[in-house]
Amino acid sequence: MTTVLIVDDQPLQRMGFRMLLESSPETTVVGEAAHGAEAVRRTAELRPDVVLMDIRMPGMDGIEATRRIVAAGDRSRVLVLTTFDLDEYAYGALRAGASGFMLKDARPDELLAGIRAVAAGDAVVAPAMTRRLLDTFTAHGAPRTPGDDPRLSPLSQREREVLADIAAGLTNGEIAAHLVLSESTVKTHVSRVLGKIGARDRVQAVIIAYDAGLARPA
């Protein structure tokens, strides 16, 4: 059972999300919050598996709330859900440590699948956002060479190749085919890569890969 905290300043939105989540036998709502400060406080109290986070709220917004939740080092992961399909919001949310970013026009089954994926430690980014997010990374500073970033120094050459493929958006199966490895070996490599670079999940690994200059948009 995946526990969820719903964060949204609109009561009707919270009600709709609660009805959807409680209709699924795999999720349960443990609480609600109407703004960022309350989200931070309730996350610390309830320790949900997933915080379903709105971005634009009065007072503390969802990006700052996400940053504080992640900085607290708790087990909860943040899935940002917003009506605003704007690059700066997605970029800011993922930079703050969110494990995923989806739009509120996602289908119910897509949202439920996203929550399950984030709870399992995977990354979720709305497909329409992926290309523009990579372009945004390029626009936020000069490219670096891989040798400049100390976060990559613990990686073997094979692990660097795996990280580059993660940054390219490849699944474990696709990485296995590309590098001629078994999928179980790829899973082991992915786990080691995340641990060595200090990434919570694949989204954070992608951010580090682009920051470090290991990957660039085509």
Coordinates of all heavy atoms in Angstrom, one line a residue, residues 23-114:
S23 N -9.9 5.2 -4.6 CA -10.6 4.2 -5.4 C -9.7 3.1 -5.8 O -10.1 2.0 -6.3 CB -11.2 4.9 -6.6 OG -10.2 5.2 -7.6
S24 N -8.4 3.3 -5.6 CA -7.4 2.3 -5.9 C -7.0 1.5 -4.7 O -6.7 2.1 -3.7 CB -6.1 3.0 -6.5 OG -5.0 2.0 -6.6
P25 N -6.9 0.2 -4.8 CA -6.6 -0.6 -3.7 C -5.1 -0.5 -3.3 O -4.6 -1.0 -2.3 CB -6.9 -2.1 -4.1 CG -6.8 -2.0 -5.6 CD -7.3 -0.6 -6.0
E26 N -4.3 0.1 -4.2 CA -2.8 0.2 -4.0 C -2.4 1.5 -3.3 O -1.2 1.6 -3.0 CB -2.1 0.0 -5.3 CG -2.4 -1.4 -5.9 CD -1.7 -1.5 -7.3 OE1 -1.1 -0.5 -7.8 OE2 -1.7 -2.6 -7.8
T27 N -3.3 2.5 -3.2 CA -2.9 3.7 -2.6 C -3.9 4.1 -1.5 O -5.1 3.8 -1.5 CB -2.9 4.9 -3.6 OG1 -4.2 4.9 -4.3 CG2 -1.8 4.6 -4.7
T28 N -3.4 4.9 -0.5 CA -4.3 5.4 0.5 C -3.8 6.8 0.9 O -2.6 7.1 0.9 CB -4.2 4.5 1.8 OG1 -5.2 5.0 2.8 CG2 -2.8 4.5 2.4
V29 N -4.7 7.7 1.1 CA -4.4 9.1 1.5 C -4.3 9.2 3.0 O -5.2 8.9 3.7 CB -5.5 10.1 1.0 CG1 -5.2 11.5 1.4 CG2 -5.6 10.0 -0.6
V30 N -3.1 9.7 3.4 CA -2.9 9.8 4.9 C -3.1 11.2 5.4 O -3.1 11.5 6.6 CB -1.5 9.3 5.3 CG1 -1.3 7.8 5.0 CG2 -0.4 10.1 4.5
G31 N -3.2 12.2 4.4 CA -3.5 13.6 4.9 C -3.5 14.5 3.7 O -3.2 14.1 2.5
E32 N -3.8 15.8 4.0 CA -3.8 16.9 3.0 C -3.2 18.1 3.6 O -3.0 18.3 4.8 CB -5.3 17.2 2.6 CG -6.1 16.1 2.0 CD -7.5 16.5 1.7 OE1 -7.8 17.7 1.8 OE2 -8.3 15.6 1.4
A33 N -2.7 19.0 2.6 CA -2.1 20.2 3.0 C -2.5 21.3 2.0 O -2.6 20.9 0.8 CB -0.6 20.2 3.1
A34 N -2.8 22.5 2.4 CA -3.2 23.6 1.5 C -2.1 24.5 1.1 O -2.4 25.4 0.2 CB -4.4 24.3 2.2
H35 N -0.9 24.4 1.6 CA 0.2 25.3 1.2 C 1.5 24.6 1.6 O 1.5 23.6 2.3 CB 0.0 26.7 1.8 CG -0.1 26.7 3.3 ND1 0.9 26.4 4.2 CD2 -1.2 26.9 4.1 CE1 0.5 26.5 5.4 NE2 -0.8 26.7 5.4
G36 N 2.6 25.2 1.1 CA 3.9 24.6 1.2 C 4.3 24.4 2.7 O 4.9 23.3 3.0
A37 N 4.1 25.4 3.5 CA 4.6 25.2 4.9 C 3.9 24.1 5.6 O 4.5 23.3 6.4 CB 4.4 26.6 5.7
E38 N 2.6 24.0 5.3 CA 1.8 22.9 5.9 C 2.3 21.5 5.3 O 2.3 20.5 6.1 CB 0.3 23.1 5.6 CG -0.6 22.1 6.3 CD -2.1 22.3 6.1 OE1 -2.4 23.1 5.2 OE2 -2.9 21.6 6.8
A39 N 2.6 21.5 4.1 CA 3.1 20.3 3.4 C 4.4 19.8 4.1 O 4.6 18.6 4.4 CB 3.4 20.6 2.0
V40 N 5.3 20.8 4.4 CA 6.6 20.4 5.1 C 6.3 19.8 6.5 O 6.8 18.8 6.9 CB 7.5 21.6 5.2 CG1 8.7 21.3 6.0 CG2 7.9 22.1 3.8
R41 N 5.4 20.5 7.2 CA 5.1 20.0 8.6 C 4.4 18.7 8.5 O 4.7 17.8 9.3 CB 4.2 21.1 9.2 CG 3.8 20.8 10.7 CD 3.1 21.9 11.3 NE 1.8 22.1 10.7 CZ 1.5 23.2 10.0 NH1 2.4 24.1 9.7 NH2 0.3 23.3 9.5
R42 N 3.4 18.5 7.7 CA 2.6 17.3 7.6 C 3.5 16.1 7.1 O 3.3 14.9 7.5 CB 1.4 17.4 6.8 CG 0.4 18.5 7.3 CD -1.0 18.0 7.4 NE -1.2 17.0 8.4 CZ -2.3 16.3 8.5 NH1 -3.3 16.4 7.6 NH2 -2.5 15.4 9.4
T43 N 4.4 16.4 6.2 CA 5.3 15.3 5.7 C 6.1 14.8 6.9 O 6.3 13.6 7.0 CB 6.2 15.8 4.6 OG1 5.4 16.2 3.5 CG2 7.2 14.7 4.1
A44 N 6.6 15.7 7.7 CA 7.5 15.3 8.8 C 6.6 14.5 9.8 O 7.1 13.5 10.4 CB 8.0 16.5 9.5
E45 N 5.4 14.8 10.0 CA 4.5 14.1 10.9 C 4.0 12.8 10.4 O 4.1 11.8 11.1 CB 3.2 15.0 11.2 CG 3.5 16.3 11.9 CD 2.2 17.1 12.0 OE1 1.2 16.8 11.3 OE2 2.2 18.2 12.6
L46 N 3.7 12.7 9.1 CA 3.0 11.5 8.6 C 4.0 10.6 7.8 O 3.6 9.4 7.6 CB 1.9 12.0 7.6 CG 0.8 12.8 8.3 CD1 -0.2 13.4 7.2 CD2 0.0 12.0 9.3
R47 N 5.1 11.1 7.3 CA 6.0 10.3 6.6 C 5.4 9.5 5.5 O 5.6 8.3 5.4 CB 6.9 9.5 7.5 CG 7.6 10.2 8.6 CD 8.5 9.4 9.5 NE 9.6 8.9 8.7 CZ 10.0 7.6 8.6 NH1 9.3 6.7 9.2 NH2 11.1 7.3 7.9
P48 N 4.7 10.1 4.6 CA 4.1 9.4 3.5 C 5.1 8.9 2.5 O 6.2 9.4 2.4 CB 3.2 10.4 2.8 CG 3.9 11.7 3.1 CD 4.5 11.6 4.4
D49 N 4.7 7.9 1.7 CA 5.6 7.4 0.7 C 5.8 8.4 -0.4 O 6.9 8.6 -0.9 CB 5.0 6.1 0.0 CG 5.0 5.0 1.0 OD1 5.9 4.8 1.8 OD2 3.9 4.3 1.0
V50 N 4.7 9.1 -0.8 CA 4.7 10.1 -1.9 C 3.9 11.3 -1.4 O 2.9 11.2 -0.8 CB 4.0 9.5 -3.1 CG1 4.0 10.6 -4.2 CG2 4.8 8.3 -3.6
V51 N 4.5 12.5 -1.7 CA 3.9 13.8 -1.5 C 3.4 14.2 -2.9 O 4.3 14.5 -3.8 CB 4.8 14.8 -0.9 CG1 4.0 16.1 -0.7 CG2 5.3 14.3 0.5
L52 N 2.1 14.3 -3.2 CA 1.6 14.8 -4.4 C 1.5 16.3 -4.3 O 0.6 16.9 -3.7 CB 0.2 14.2 -4.7 CG -0.3 14.3 -6.1 CD1 0.6 13.6 -7.1 CD2 -1.7 13.7 -6.1
M53 N 2.5 17.0 -4.9 CA 2.7 18.4 -4.7 C 2.3 19.4 -5.8 O 2.7 19.2 -6.9 CB 4.2 18.6 -4.4 CG 4.7 20.0 -4.1 SD 4.3 20.5 -2.4 CE 5.5 19.6 -1.5
D54 N 1.4 20.3 -5.5 CA 1.1 21.4 -6.4 C 2.3 22.4 -6.3 O 3.1 22.4 -5.4 CB -0.2 22.1 -5.9 CG -0.7 23.1 -7.0 OD1 -0.3 23.0 -8.2 OD2 -1.5 24.0 -6.6
I55 N 2.5 23.3 -7.4 CA 3.6 24.2 -7.4 C 3.1 25.6 -6.9 O 3.7 26.2 -6.0 CB 4.2 24.3 -8.8 CG1 5.1 23.0 -9.0 CG2 5.1 25.5 -8.9 CD1 5.9 23.1 -10.3
R56 N 2.1 26.1 -7.6 CA 1.7 27.5 -7.3 C 0.7 27.6 -6.2 O -0.5 27.2 -6.4 CB 1.2 28.2 -8.6 CG 2.2 28.3 -9.7 CD 1.8 29.1 -10.8 NE 1.6 30.5 -10.5 CZ 1.3 31.4 -11.5 NH1 1.1 31.1 -12.7 NH2 1.1 32.7 -11.1
M57 N 1.1 28.0 -5.0 CA 0.3 28.1 -3.8 C 0.6 29.4 -3.1 O 1.8 29.9 -3.2 CB 0.5 26.9 -2.9 CG 0.1 25.6 -3.5 SD 0.4 24.2 -2.4 CE 2.2 24.1 -2.4
P58 N -0.3 29.9 -2.3 CA 0.0 31.1 -1.5 C 1.1 30.8 -0.5 O 1.2 29.7 0.0 CB -1.3 31.5 -0.9 CG -2.1 30.2 -0.9 CD -1.7 29.5 -2.1
G59 N 1.9 31.8 -0.1 CA 2.9 31.6 0.9 C 4.1 30.8 0.3 O 4.5 31.1 -0.8
M60 N 4.5 29.8 0.9 CA 5.5 28.9 0.4 C 5.0 28.1 -0.7 O 4.0 27.4 -0.6 CB 6.0 28.0 1.6 CG 7.2 27.1 1.1 SD 7.6 25.9 2.4 CE 8.1 26.9 3.8
D61 N 5.7 28.2 -1.9 CA 5.2 27.4 -3.1 C 5.7 26.0 -3.0 O 6.5 25.6 -2.1 CB 5.6 28.1 -4.3 CG 7.2 28.2 -4.6 OD1 7.9 27.4 -3.9 OD2 7.6 28.9 -5.5
G62 N 5.3 25.2 -4.0 CA 5.7 23.8 -4.0 C 7.1 23.5 -4.2 O 7.7 22.5 -3.8
I63 N 7.8 24.4 -4.9 CA 9.3 24.2 -5.2 C 10.0 24.3 -3.9 O 10.9 23.5 -3.5 CB 9.8 25.2 -6.2 CG1 9.2 24.8 -7.6 CG2 11.3 25.1 -6.3 CD1 9.5 25.8 -8.7
E64 N 9.8 25.4 -3.1 CA 10.5 25.5 -1.8 C 10.1 24.4 -0.8 O 10.9 23.9 -0.1 CB 10.1 26.9 -1.2 CG 10.8 27.2 0.1 CD 12.3 27.1 0.1 OE1 12.9 27.3 -1.0 OE2 12.9 26.8 1.1
A65 N 8.8 24.1 -0.8 CA 8.4 23.0 0.0 C 9.1 21.7 -0.3 O 9.5 20.9 0.6 CB 6.9 22.8 -0.1
T66 N 9.2 21.4 -1.6 CA 10.0 20.2 -2.1 C 11.4 20.3 -1.6 O 11.9 19.3 -1.1 CB 9.9 20.1 -3.6 OG1 8.6 19.9 -4.0 CG2 10.8 19.0 -4.1
R67 N 12.0 21.4 -1.7 CA 13.4 21.6 -1.3 C 13.6 21.3 0.2 O 14.5 20.5 0.6 CB 13.9 23.0 -1.6 CG 15.4 23.3 -1.3 CD 15.8 24.7 -1.8 NE 15.7 24.8 -3.2 CZ 14.8 25.6 -3.8 NH1 13.9 26.3 -3.1 NH2 14.8 25.7 -5.1
R68 N 12.7 21.7 1.0 CA 12.8 21.5 2.4 C 12.5 20.1 2.8 O 13.1 19.5 3.7 CB 11.8 22.4 3.2 CG 12.2 23.9 3.0 CD 11.4 24.8 3.9 NE 11.7 26.2 3.6 CZ 11.3 27.2 4.4 NH1 10.7 27.0 5.6 NH2 11.6 28.5 4.1
I69 N 11.5 19.4 2.1 CA 11.2 18.0 2.4 C 12.4 17.2 2.0 O 12.8 16.3 2.8 CB 10.0 17.6 1.6 CG1 8.7 18.3 2.2 CG2 9.8 16.1 1.6 CD1 7.5 18.1 1.3
V70 N 13.0 17.4 0.9 CA 14.2 16.6 0.5 C 15.4 16.8 1.4 O 16.1 15.9 1.8 CB 14.5 16.9 -1.0 CG1 15.8 16.2 -1.4 CG2 13.4 16.5 -1.9
A71 N 15.6 18.1 1.8 CA 16.7 18.5 2.7 C 16.6 17.8 4.0 O 17.6 17.5 4.7 CB 16.8 20.0 2.8
A72 N 15.3 17.5 4.4 CA 15.1 16.9 5.8 C 15.6 15.4 5.8 O 15.8 14.8 6.8 CB 13.7 17.0 6.1
G73 N 15.8 14.9 4.6 CA 16.4 13.5 4.5 C 15.4 12.4 4.8 O 15.8 11.3 5.2
D74 N 14.1 12.8 4.8 CA 13.1 11.8 5.1 C 12.9 10.8 4.0 O 13.4 11.0 2.9 CB 11.7 12.5 5.4 CG 10.8 11.6 6.3 OD1 11.2 10.5 6.6 OD2 9.8 12.2 6.8
R75 N 12.1 9.8 4.2 CA 11.8 8.7 3.2 C 10.9 9.2 2.1 O 10.8 8.5 1.0 CB 11.3 7.5 3.9 CG 10.0 7.7 4.6 CD 9.5 6.5 5.4 NE 9.1 5.4 4.6 CZ 7.9 5.3 4.1 NH1 7.0 6.2 4.3 NH2 7.6 4.2 3.4
S76 N 10.1 10.2 2.3 CA 9.1 10.7 1.4 C 9.7 11.2 0.1 O 10.7 11.9 0.1 CB 8.2 11.8 2.0 OG 7.6 11.3 3.2
R77 N 9.0 10.8 -1.0 CA 9.4 11.3 -2.3 C 8.3 12.2 -2.9 O 7.1 12.0 -2.5 CB 9.6 10.1 -3.3 CG 10.8 9.2 -2.9 CD 11.0 8.1 -3.8 NE 12.1 7.3 -3.4 CZ 13.4 7.5 -3.8 NH1 13.6 8.5 -4.6 NH2 14.4 6.7 -3.4
V78 N 8.7 13.2 -3.6 CA 7.8 14.2 -4.1 C 7.5 14.0 -5.6 O 8.4 13.9 -6.4 CB 8.4 15.6 -3.9 CG1 7.4 16.7 -4.4 CG2 8.6 15.8 -2.4
L79 N 6.2 14.0 -5.9 CA 5.7 14.0 -7.3 C 5.0 15.3 -7.5 O 3.9 15.5 -6.9 CB 4.8 12.8 -7.6 CG 4.1 12.7 -9.0 CD1 5.2 12.7 -10.1 CD2 3.2 11.5 -9.1
V80 N 5.5 16.2 -8.3 CA 4.9 17.5 -8.6 C 3.8 17.3 -9.7 O 4.1 16.7 -10.7 CB 6.0 18.5 -9.0 CG1 5.3 19.8 -9.5 CG2 6.9 18.8 -7.9
L81 N 2.7 17.9 -9.4 CA 1.6 17.8 -10.3 C 1.0 19.2 -10.5 O 0.6 19.9 -9.5 CB 0.5 16.9 -9.7 CG -0.6 16.4 -10.7 CD1 0.0 15.6 -11.8 CD2 -1.7 15.6 -9.9
T82 N 1.0 19.8 -11.7 CA 0.6 21.1 -11.9 C -0.1 21.3 -13.2 O 0.0 20.5 -14.1 CB 1.8 22.1 -11.8 OG1 1.4 23.4 -12.0 CG2 2.8 21.7 -12.9
T83 N -0.9 22.4 -13.3 CA -1.6 22.8 -14.5 C -0.7 23.6 -15.4 O -1.0 23.8 -16.6 CB -2.9 23.6 -14.3 OG1 -2.5 24.7 -13.5 CG2 -3.9 22.8 -13.5
F84 N 0.5 24.0 -14.9 CA 1.3 25.0 -15.6 C 2.4 24.2 -16.3 O 3.4 23.8 -15.7 CB 1.9 26.0 -14.6 CG 0.8 26.8 -14.0 CD1 0.3 26.4 -12.7 CD2 0.3 27.9 -14.6 CE1 -0.7 27.2 -12.1 CE2 -0.7 28.7 -14.0 CZ -1.2 28.3 -12.8
D85 N 2.3 24.1 -17.6 CA 3.3 23.4 -18.5 C 4.4 24.4 -18.9 O 4.5 24.9 -20.0 CB 2.6 22.9 -19.7 CG 3.5 22.1 -20.7 OD1 4.6 21.9 -20.3 OD2 3.0 21.8 -21.8
L86 N 5.1 24.9 -17.9 CA 6.2 25.8 -18.1 C 7.5 25.3 -17.6 O 7.7 24.7 -16.6 CB 5.9 27.1 -17.3 CG 4.6 27.9 -17.7 CD1 4.4 29.1 -16.7 CD2 4.7 28.3 -19.1
D87 N 8.6 25.5 -18.5 CA 9.9 24.9 -18.2 C 10.4 25.3 -16.9 O 11.0 24.4 -16.2 CB 10.8 25.4 -19.3 CG 10.4 24.9 -20.7 OD1 9.6 24.0 -20.8 OD2 10.9 25.5 -21.7
E88 N 10.3 26.6 -16.5 CA 10.9 27.0 -15.2 C 10.4 26.2 -14.0 O 11.1 26.0 -13.0 CB 10.9 28.5 -15.0 CG 9.5 29.0 -14.9 CD 8.9 29.5 -16.3 OE1 9.3 29.0 -17.3 OE2 8.2 30.5 -16.3
Y89 N 9.1 25.9 -14.1 CA 8.5 25.1 -13.0 C 9.1 23.7 -12.9 O 9.4 23.2 -11.8 CB 7.0 25.1 -13.1 CG 6.3 26.4 -12.9 CD1 5.4 26.9 -13.8 CD2 6.7 27.2 -11.8 CE1 4.7 28.1 -13.6 CE2 6.0 28.5 -11.6 CZ 5.1 28.9 -12.5 OH 4.5 30.1 -12.4
A90 N 9.1 23.0 -14.0 CA 9.6 21.7 -14.0 C 11.1 21.7 -13.6 O 11.5 20.9 -12.8 CB 9.5 21.1 -15.4
Y91 N 11.8 22.6 -14.2 CA 13.3 22.7 -13.9 C 13.5 22.9 -12.4 O 14.3 22.3 -11.7 CB 13.9 23.8 -14.7 CG 15.4 23.9 -14.6 CD1 16.3 23.1 -15.3 CD2 15.9 24.9 -13.7 CE1 17.6 23.3 -15.1 CE2 17.3 25.0 -13.6 CZ 18.1 24.2 -14.3 OH 19.5 24.4 -14.1
G92 N 12.7 23.9 -11.9 CA 12.9 24.3 -10.5 C 12.5 23.1 -9.5 O 13.1 22.8 -8.5
A93 N 11.4 22.4 -9.9 CA 10.9 21.3 -9.1 C 11.9 20.2 -9.0 O 12.2 19.6 -8.0 CB 9.6 20.8 -9.6
L94 N 12.5 19.8 -10.2 CA 13.4 18.7 -10.2 C 14.8 19.1 -9.6 O 15.4 18.3 -8.9 CB 13.7 18.3 -11.7 CG 12.4 17.7 -12.4 CD1 12.7 17.3 -13.8 CD2 11.8 16.6 -11.7
R95 N 15.2 20.4 -9.8 CA 16.3 20.9 -9.1 C 16.2 20.8 -7.6 O 17.1 20.5 -6.8 CB 16.6 22.3 -9.5 CG 17.4 22.5 -10.7 CD 18.8 22.1 -10.5 NE 19.6 22.5 -11.6 CZ 20.9 22.1 -11.8 NH1 21.4 21.4 -10.9 NH2 21.6 22.5 -12.8
A96 N 15.0 21.0 -7.1 CA 14.7 21.0 -5.7 C 14.7 19.6 -5.1 O 14.7 19.4 -3.9 CB 13.3 21.7 -5.4
G97 N 14.7 18.6 -6.0 CA 14.7 17.2 -5.5 C 13.5 16.4 -5.7 O 13.4 15.3 -5.3
A98 N 12.5 16.9 -6.5 CA 11.3 16.1 -6.8 C 11.7 14.9 -7.6 O 12.7 14.9 -8.4 CB 10.3 17.0 -7.6
S99 N 11.0 13.8 -7.4 CA 11.3 12.6 -8.1 C 10.5 12.5 -9.4 O 10.6 11.5 -10.1 CB 11.0 11.4 -7.2 OG 11.9 11.4 -6.1
G100 N 9.6 13.4 -9.6 CA 8.8 13.4 -10.8 C 8.0 14.7 -11.1 O 7.9 15.5 -10.1
F101 N 7.5 14.8 -12.3 CA 6.8 16.0 -12.7 C 5.7 15.6 -13.7 O 6.1 15.1 -14.7 CB 7.7 17.1 -13.3 CG 7.1 18.4 -13.6 CD1 7.2 19.5 -12.8 CD2 6.4 18.6 -14.8 CE1 6.6 20.7 -13.0 CE2 5.8 19.8 -15.1 CZ 5.9 20.8 -14.2
M102 N 4.5 15.8 -13.3 CA 3.4 15.5 -14.2 C 2.4 16.7 -14.3 O 2.4 17.5 -13.4 CB 2.6 14.3 -13.8 CG 3.5 13.0 -13.7 SD 2.6 11.5 -13.2 CE 1.5 11.3 -14.6
L103 N 1.7 16.7 -15.4 CA 0.6 17.8 -15.6 C -0.7 17.2 -15.1 O -1.0 16.0 -15.1 CB 0.5 18.2 -17.0 CG 1.8 18.7 -17.6 CD1 1.6 19.0 -19.1 CD2 2.3 19.9 -16.9
K104 N -1.6 18.2 -14.6 CA -2.8 17.8 -14.1 C -3.8 17.2 -15.1 O -4.9 16.7 -14.7 CB -3.5 19.0 -13.3 CG -2.8 19.2 -12.0 CD -3.4 20.4 -11.2 CE -2.8 20.6 -9.9 NZ -3.4 21.8 -9.2
D105 N -3.5 17.4 -16.4 CA -4.4 16.8 -17.4 C -4.0 15.3 -17.7 O -4.5 14.7 -18.6 CB -4.4 17.6 -18.7 CG -3.0 17.7 -19.3 OD1 -2.0 17.0 -18.8 OD2 -2.9 18.3 -20.4
A106 N -3.1 14.8 -16.9 CA -2.8 13.3 -17.0 C -4.0 12.5 -16.8 O -4.9 12.8 -16.0 CB -1.6 13.0 -16.0
R107 N -4.1 11.4 -17.4 CA -5.2 10.5 -17.2 C -5.1 9.8 -15.8 O -4.0 9.7 -15.3 CB -5.2 9.4 -18.3 CG -5.4 9.8 -19.7 CD -5.8 8.7 -20.6 NE -4.8 7.6 -20.5 CZ -3.7 7.4 -21.1 NH1 -3.4 8.4 -22.0 NH2 -2.9 6.4 -20.9
P108 N -6.2 9.4 -15.2 CA -6.2 8.8 -13.9 C -5.2 7.7 -13.8 O -4.4 7.5 -12.8 CB -7.6 8.4 -13.6 CG -8.4 9.4 -14.4 CD -7.6 9.6 -15.7
D109 N -5.2 6.8 -14.8 CA -4.3 5.6 -14.8 C -2.8 6.1 -14.9 O -2.0 5.4 -14.2 CB -4.6 4.6 -15.9 CG -4.5 5.3 -17.3 OD1 -5.0 6.4 -17.5 OD2 -3.9 4.6 -18.2
E110 N -2.6 7.2 -15.6 CA -1.2 7.7 -15.7 C -0.7 8.2 -14.3 O 0.4 8.0 -13.9 CB -1.1 8.8 -16.7 CG -1.3 8.3 -18.1 CD -1.3 9.4 -19.2 OE1 -1.7 10.6 -18.8 OE2 -0.9 9.2 -20.3
L111 N -1.6 8.9 -13.6 CA -1.3 9.5 -12.3 C -1.0 8.4 -11.3 O 0.0 8.4 -10.6 CB -2.4 10.4 -11.8 CG -2.2 11.0 -10.4 CD1 -0.9 11.8 -10.3 CD2 -3.4 11.9 -10.0
L112 N -1.9 7.4 -11.3 CA -1.7 6.3 -10.4 C -0.4 5.5 -10.7 O 0.3 5.1 -9.7 CB -2.9 5.3 -10.4 CG -4.2 5.8 -9.9 CD1 -5.3 4.9 -10.2 CD2 -4.1 6.1 -8.4
A113 N -0.1 5.3 -11.9 CA 1.1 4.7 -12.3 C 2.3 5.5 -11.9 O 3.4 5.0 -11.5 CB 1.2 4.4 -13.8
G114 N 2.2 6.9 -12.1 CA 3.3 7.7 -11.7 C 3.6 7.7 -10.2 O 4.7 7.7 -9.7

